[in-house]
Each structure stands twice: as structure tokens, then as C-alpha cells.
Amino acid sequence: MTDTATPESSFTQALDQYHSALEAAQELALEHLGAITERPVSTLATWETMRAALDEPLPESGTAPDAAIAEWVERAAPGIVGSTGPRFFGWVIGGVTPAALGGDWLAAAIDQNAGMWGASPAAAQTEAVVLRWLKELFALPAEWAGAVTSGATMSNLVGLAAARQWASEQLGFNAAEDGLAGHPVIPVISSSDIHASARKALGNLGLGRSAVRIVPSINGRLDLAVFEEILARTDGPVIVVGNAGEVNTGQFDDLNAIADALERRGNAWLHVDGAFGLFAGASPRFRHLLNGIERADSVASDGHKWLNVPYDSGFAFVRDERLLRSAFSAAGAYLAPAAGDGPDPMHSVPEMSRRFRALAIWCALRADGRSGYRAMVERCIDNAHDFADWVSETPGLALVNSAPLNIVSFRITPDGADEEERDALTRAVCRRIQEQGEVFVTPTVWEGRAAIRAAFDHWATTTADVAVLKAEVKRAAGLP
Ligand SMILES: *Cc1c(COP(=O)(O)O)cnc(C)c1O
């Protein structure tokens, strides 16, 4: 506590400090947002720079709250990335809509514990409503259960935890209750494009990262013939991870064909990673990419990417609520519900106490509605397709894949250069674009070859921003 907030000072007296702290934060936040299209998008600050800026012992004495906030911004500035702006095409990041930002700030101010109904009926009911709205937005079955999470990694964990419960029941035990020790490995099948976060979730769940039997991909999509062969060689309950929106290309597995194969075999759980790909479901123009998703048992997605709410935010859906609860329910005398209570969110998620993340989602969906999100998703995909068309028409550039959604990966391919030279050039051009700081793209490797990735998932990216991206690629690649 600062000198002015001694133990004797009352909460009412501290209101002045809340005021000045929030005012300082608001002013600095608006300064950041106001300069976002003028400042360099990237910073590329080294560890050395950031240690010099921030690393020091715990301060002995305090300072005023507004001064502390201003001091952090001043010192950390070299490392603050312009990722909330419309010309940031790196990874899959997304920005923050005004409504989402306001909702998130309010969530911190009212500081509700969204774990239990009793701790915040408002938070618990809002969470139930945003899960309903998200199912409606993506045309998912209304009766599915859901969970608000911190991102798609945790959403993968939630869906796969329910899968683990199901598989262990098939094998005659309860994984959450008894653990996995002494039981056979539960096979997981996915394509070579399984996201690193799904493997991470399998590791955390004790299913094991190495439980995954990999089916090769053809152009970013699971090879169905090999899948059927591997499926025929597995015994007992099997978990399949389908990919809806592969991270380098935005490709979708054929979910109906996978579900057909699983239906013929029986004794299978289909989990779908739709971290950003699920958003195709917000548009009747692109919903067909997800055909068959309604046959999944669990689906994982992200809020902080294409929904454009602040970090951290994600959501998961599970067909069978009983399995979700059997994975995560917790009991304690001091946690008993009172008469008239609604459901406690904590029984459907890994945490107990938790941030009221649903408020930012509620405000975002309330402010933009179904039509606003549909238009935003379509704008992003149209921008991506326009960029992809430009790449394929420009001599010296080549797409690595057909780019069906909002991710475009491409290579620098001048005539006369061999593939190794093209790799080196592609990596160099990506770095040159990052250093220039007009736009931000990130490097990747696709089918063994270097590529540059551009992801289109910011709510406010315009065709003018896409024109800047094209100009930057041309400049960095030395194209006429
Ligand atoms: C981003 C992503 C994840 C992981 O999501 P986080 O939000 O980083 O936890 C999982 N799967 C896919 C396909 C992704 O793009």
C-alpha cells in the first residue's frame, strides 16, 4: 500500500485513487490505440533490452497508483507490440473490439469470481448465455454443454478431458477418479497437422503426447485412406482429433468422412480443434467448410483470436454434459449450493476461482450481434482471398496452398533460384518485413519448405491495410 492508502484509510477514501489509477490507464490506453496505425507494428526487442528496461529488485517503498501505471508504460514501451492494430498479420492474434475492451475492463473492476453461482449469479448466468449465443453464432447443436476457457489450448484440454472420461468408462474405470496408472494407453489419432496445443493438452491429461498415431496430411487435410487403415488397426475406445482450420493454411479435415468412418467402427470420440476455423460457421458463405461438425463429441475454439476479445479467452463445447462434469466436478462442504442457485461453472472447467471472461464476450456479441460478426468474418476471408489471388498472380511469389479461409502462406520464388535459395530468400524477406514495421507477418515451414504466413482475423483490417501488406511484400522481395 502507498503512503496515502495506510491501513487506516477507508475504501471510500481510496475512491480517489481508483479514479486517478483508472484515468491514467485510460489515457495511456487511448494513446496506445490512437497511435497504433502510426507506430511500428513490431518491436523485435531483445531480451537484453527488456531486462535493462525492467529487471530490478522488488521496490522497498511504494508510489502513487497512477504513477506506477505510467512508469510501467514508459519502461516497457520498447517491448509493447502493436498486435492490437489492423496491420498485424502474425500468428493468429486478432484485435479487441471497443465493446470487448470496455467489458473486460469492467470485469476487472467488479472483480466477480466466476467459479460459483453464489459468488456471482451475474457472472454464472452471463457465462451460460454467451455459450448459448456462441452455439447460435456457429450453428452448433443447442443442447451441447460448454465452458469458457483461457484459450484454445485449454479448450482442447476441456474437450479431451471429457474424451478421456468417456474412454475410461468404456474400459471400466474412471480416469478422473482413479488415474490412468495400470491401464492401457488410450489411442489418439490425428493428422500430421495436429496443433501443438492438442499435444500439450494430451500431455497434461496423462493421455500422453506420444499416444497420437499420426496420419499424413495431403495439402493440410487428413489422408482418409490411411486414416481408415490406422483406425482398423486400433482396438478399444479411440479418440480422434480433427482439425477445422489448420494453422498454416486454414485447411479443414473432411469431418463428415471422419464421422462416417467412426460410425462404421463404433467406440470412438471425435474432438475437433476449431480455434479459428469454427468462425467459418458464422457465415452462410463459408459454413460448408465445417460440414459434419455437428457429429463431433467435443469442439475447441478461441475467443482472443477471431472473436476479437482481449486475452485471455476461449470456449469449448461438449455433447455430453455428464462427461464434462465427471472430468471436472469438485466437492466441498463450503461449496454447497443454496436453494435457487443455478449451475456453478467450476464443475465444467479445470479451475475453481476464475476471471469473469464471459463479460467481454457478452459485450462484444451484444454490440455487434450476429450480423456484425458475420460481416466481420466475411470481410477477413475476402481480404485473405484477395491477398492470395494477388500472390498467385504476382511473378516471383507462390502460394503454398489453396488458402480456403483466412490464412495465406506463400514463398518467394524468383525464376532461376533453386528451392534452397528460395527458402533462404523467403526467410530473409519475412525478417525484412518485420523489421520495417509497417505490417507484421510470421515465418513458418510448410512441407519442408520455408514460407511466410499472413493471418486475417482483425475486426478492423481494411482493403487499404491489405494494400500496405502487398506493397511491403513487394518492397522486401525487391519486386517491380
Ligand atoms: C491458436 C491455436 C490453438 C491454441 O490456442 P491458444 O489460444 O494459443 O491457447 C489451438 N489450435 C489451433 C488450430 C490454433 O490456431
Side-chain angles (χ1 to χ4, degrees):
M1 288 288 103
T2 64
D3 296 343
T4 43
T6 60
E8 292 82 30
S9 86
S10 72
F11 191 79
T12 321
Q13 284 164 330
L15 277 178
D16 278 349
Q17 291 195 330
Y18 280 120
H19 207 265
S20 54
L22 289 175
E23 232 164 37
Q26 175 173 316
E27 193 179 311
L28 292 160
L30 290 173
E31 236 168 65
H32 177 80
L33 292 170
I36 202 85
T37 55
E38 262 94 69
R39 53 161 285 165
V41 174
S42 50
T43 70
L44 308 177
T46 62
W47 190 14
E48 199 182 340
T49 304
M50 295 316 295
R51 269 187 319 206
L54 286 166
D55 198 14
E56 65 181 18
L58 173 69
E60 189 54 46
S61 61
T63 181
D66 54 337
I69 293 162
E71 179 185 326
W72 180 83
V73 172
E74 199 185 320
R75 295 172 63 175
I80 301 177
V81 176
S83 49
T84 198
R87 294 204 305 265
F88 194 92
F89 302 94
W91 301 288
V92 189
I93 294 268
V96 178
T97 70
L101 175 57
D104 193 63
W105 280 25
L106 187 62
I110 62 178
D111 196 26
Q112 305 287 286
N113 181 343
M116 286 170 296
W117 181 273
S120 180
Q125 188 60 41
T126 302
E127 184 157 331
V129 170
V130 302
L131 289 166
R132 173 196 171 149
W133 286 359
L134 290 165
K135 282 182 283 186
E136 291 176 7
L137 179 64
F138 302 125
L140 292 175
E143 63 279 8
W144 284 7
V148 172
T149 69
S150 60
T153 303
M154 289 306 278
S155 299
N156 277 329
L157 183 136
V158 165
L160 291 167
R164 186 187 65 173
Q165 284 310 95
W166 164 82
S168 65
E169 284 183 7
Q170 301 305 303
L171 294 166
F173 69 106
N174 179 328
E177 211 54 43
D178 310 326
L180 294 168
H183 295 285
V185 169
I186 297 166
V188 179
I189 305 178
S190 190
S191 83
S192 48
D193 291 314
I194 185 173
H195 196 268
S197 67
R199 281 191 189 272
K200 199 169 154 108
L202 291 167
N204 288 332
L205 288 165
L207 290 165
R209 294 164 192 258
S210 66
V212 188
R213 303 181 185 188
I214 289 295
V215 177
S217 293
I218 303 176
N219 266 327
R221 310 180 78 204
L222 176 106
D223 180 332
L224 287 161
V226 178
F227 173 63
E228 298 244 20
E229 278 167 33
I230 291 181
L231 195 59
R233 279 189 267 123
T234 53
D235 295 321
V238 61
I239 299 168
V240 174
V241 178
N243 296 303
E246 188 280 327
V247 82
N248 292 297
T249 61
Q251 290 285 354
F252 290 71
D253 287 344
D254 184 338
L255 298 176
N256 262 326
I258 293 175
D260 286 343
L262 296 183
E263 214 167 271
R264 284 194 295 275
R265 178 195 190 268
N267 211 11
W269 180 285
L270 175 57
H271 171 79
V272 175
D273 180 348
F276 59 88
L278 186 60
F279 284 72
S283 161
R285 282 173 56 204
F286 300 104
R287 190 168 290 161
H288 62 92
L289 294 166
L290 290 163
N291 279 349
I293 195 157
E294 70 287 351
R295 299 168 71 187
D297 298 288
S298 54
V299 172
S301 193
D302 238 324
H304 48 227
K305 289 179 180 168
W306 216 344
L307 197 63
N308 281 265
V309 301
Y311 287 101
D312 48 14
S313 178
F315 37 90
F317 301 102
V318 175
R319 173 186 299 279
D320 185 344
E321 180 161 33
R322 184 188 64 79
L323 290 165
L324 183 60
R325 297 205 157 228
S326 131
F328 293 119
S329 65
Y334 77 112
L335 300 171
D341 278 8
D344 296 325
M346 71 171 183
H347 299 304
S348 305
V349 294
E351 317 98 314
M352 292 185 78
S353 299
R354 47 207 280 280
R355 179 175 170 77
F356 182 14
R357 296 189 195 98
L359 180 51
I361 300 177
W362 194 94
C363 293
L365 291 172
R366 181 68 192 89
D368 285 316
R370 185 200 294 277
S371 64
Y373 269 94
R374 172 186 170 169
M376 187 271 286
V377 164
E378 291 180 349
R379 200 161 59 238
C380 289
I381 301 175
D382 288 342
N383 281 337
H385 290 178
D386 169 63
F387 180 70
D389 289 345
W390 175 81
V391 167
S392 54
E393 287 158 10
T394 303
L397 302 178
L399 288 178
V400 304
N401 189 276
S402 63
L405 196 70
N406 66 330
I407 313 275
V408 182
S409 287
F410 61 100
R411 279 167 65 70
I412 315 298
T413 54
D415 286 342
D418 66 22
E419 295 303 334
E420 277 70 41
E421 287 164 341
R422 290 171 167 189
D423 279 348
L425 196 56
T426 298
R427 284 190 289 267
V429 166
C430 187
R431 187 67 183 176
R432 259 175 241 153
I433 295 171
Q434 291 182 339
E435 282 166 357
Q436 186 71 11
E438 288 286 328
V439 298
F440 196 80
V441 290
T442 43
T444 190
V445 173
W446 183 249
E447 294 180 344
R449 291 283 158 210
I452 302 174
R453 273 178 82 253
F456 298 75
D457 62 335
H458 191 285
W459 66 282
T461 297
T462 61
T463 51
D465 296 314
V466 179
V468 176
L469 173 63
K470 292 174 187 171
E472 270 302 285
V473 172
K474 274 174 99 167
R475 183 197 60 77
L479 298 174

